[in-house]
Amino acid sequence: MNAYAGRVYLSLEAQARLRITDPYSIHRALLDLIDGERCAAPETSSGLLWVDHGQTFYGRRIDFLSRHPVPAVSSASDVSLEVKPLPEGFLDHEAYRFQILVNPCRCVQGKRVAVRGEENVRAWFMELAARRGMEVSISSVDRLGRDVFYRKKNRIVCSRARVSGILKVVDSNLFKKAFLGGIGKSRAFGYGFLQVSVIK
């Protein structure tokens, strides 16, 4: 399956113009940027994963992975867009450094319950990764907390943690599926994008 890795920088003017106020507004803006007609769909089938790195010298940086072709440049002067196809064989290596922002939660009696505390998040993610064909060595769990925002009139609360470390691929098919489809819940809100770099 083809995939495209990209990076967007949004100037302050672009953030105001696009009404960037919360995680879902970023998702909506990215869908419009890479062709909203084709990609607009429920979060699990939009073909888009992303993570917000916050404000930088060049603007608000958002990295993304799309399963749909993306324009090489933005038509808006206040938006900087870089995109390239995922290199052939990139997902065929045995080990990677990784970082991922996740929404740690479990389903208990039909309800999502947040996983809290560094050690609990660490154990939760190791279990999750194992089911997705990866053996992980976690070096850091940070940015623990929660995000609260509104989608229309509905109040959305997501637990949050960033997990970093090294992963070893145990099942290549499961790993590729996890990378291309995301890991965990709330992917439309910027969670679950497994960012990896090859260990040489």
Side-chain angles (χ1 to χ4, degrees):
M1 181 182 293
N2 293 331
Y4 303 84
R7 177 171 295 168
V8 175
Y9 288 104
L10 301 176
S11 68
L12 293 175
E13 292 78 9
Q15 293 175 60
R17 177 175 60 81
L18 296 170
R19 302 190 303 278
I20 302 298
T21 57
D22 56 51
Y24 193 76
S25 66
I26 295 176
H27 185 74
R28 182 199 65 233
L30 288 175
L31 286 178
D32 289 343
L33 182 66
I34 66 175
D35 190 347
E37 290 283 331
R38 181 174 54 219
C39 296
E43 65 177 87
T44 53
S45 58
S46 67
L48 178 67
L49 298 167
W50 59 272
V51 63
D52 179 16
H53 291 282
Q55 199 66 32
T56 73
F57 177 79
Y58 300 102
R60 190 167 186 167
R61 173 185 157 189
I62 302 159
D63 291 346
F64 68 88
L65 182 76
S66 173
R67 295 199 303 272
H68 303 279
V70 180
V73 295
S74 171
S75 59
S77 61
D78 53 2
V79 175
S80 172
L81 172 64
E82 306 166 12
V83 64
K84 58 184 178 181
L86 205 65
E88 186 174 349
F90 178 72
L91 298 179
D92 295 327
H93 296 272
E94 293 182 358
Y96 300 82
R97 290 183 179 84
F98 78 89
Q99 184 178 96
I100 184 171
L101 187 70
V102 287
N103 169 216
C105 61
R106 297 184 185 277
C107 187
V108 179
Q109 297 181 346
K111 294 183 179 180
R112 290 187 191 179
V113 177
V115 175
R116 304 184 187 280
E118 180 179 335
E119 290 307 314
N120 290 333
V121 169
R122 186 182 294 266
W124 170 85
F125 185 78
M126 291 179 71
E127 176 186 320
L128 196 67
R131 296 201 304 267
R132 284 155 179 78
M134 294 172 277
E135 182 180 295
V136 296
S137 174
I138 297 173
S139 59
S140 173
V141 176
D142 60 8
R143 292 187 60 182
L144 293 163
R146 64 178 191 164
D147 295 318
V148 182
F149 52 93
Y150 287 85
R151 183 179 177 188
K152 297 182 179 179
K153 294 184 178 180
N154 297 319
R155 185 173 182 262
I156 307 293
V157 180
C158 295
S159 57
R160 177 192 69 239
R162 183 172 64 181
V163 184
S164 306
I166 293 174
L167 69 84
K168 178 182 177 182
V169 178
V170 177
D171 185 310
S172 181
N173 289 332
L174 288 176
F175 166 68
K176 290 176 182 179
K177 184 177 179 181
F179 177 82
L180 295 169
I183 296 177
K185 303 294 185 181
S186 303
R187 294 187 291 277
F189 303 138
Y191 304 99
F193 176 20
L194 182 65
Q195 303 155 83
V196 298
S197 60
V198 179
I199 297 177
K200 298 180 180 180

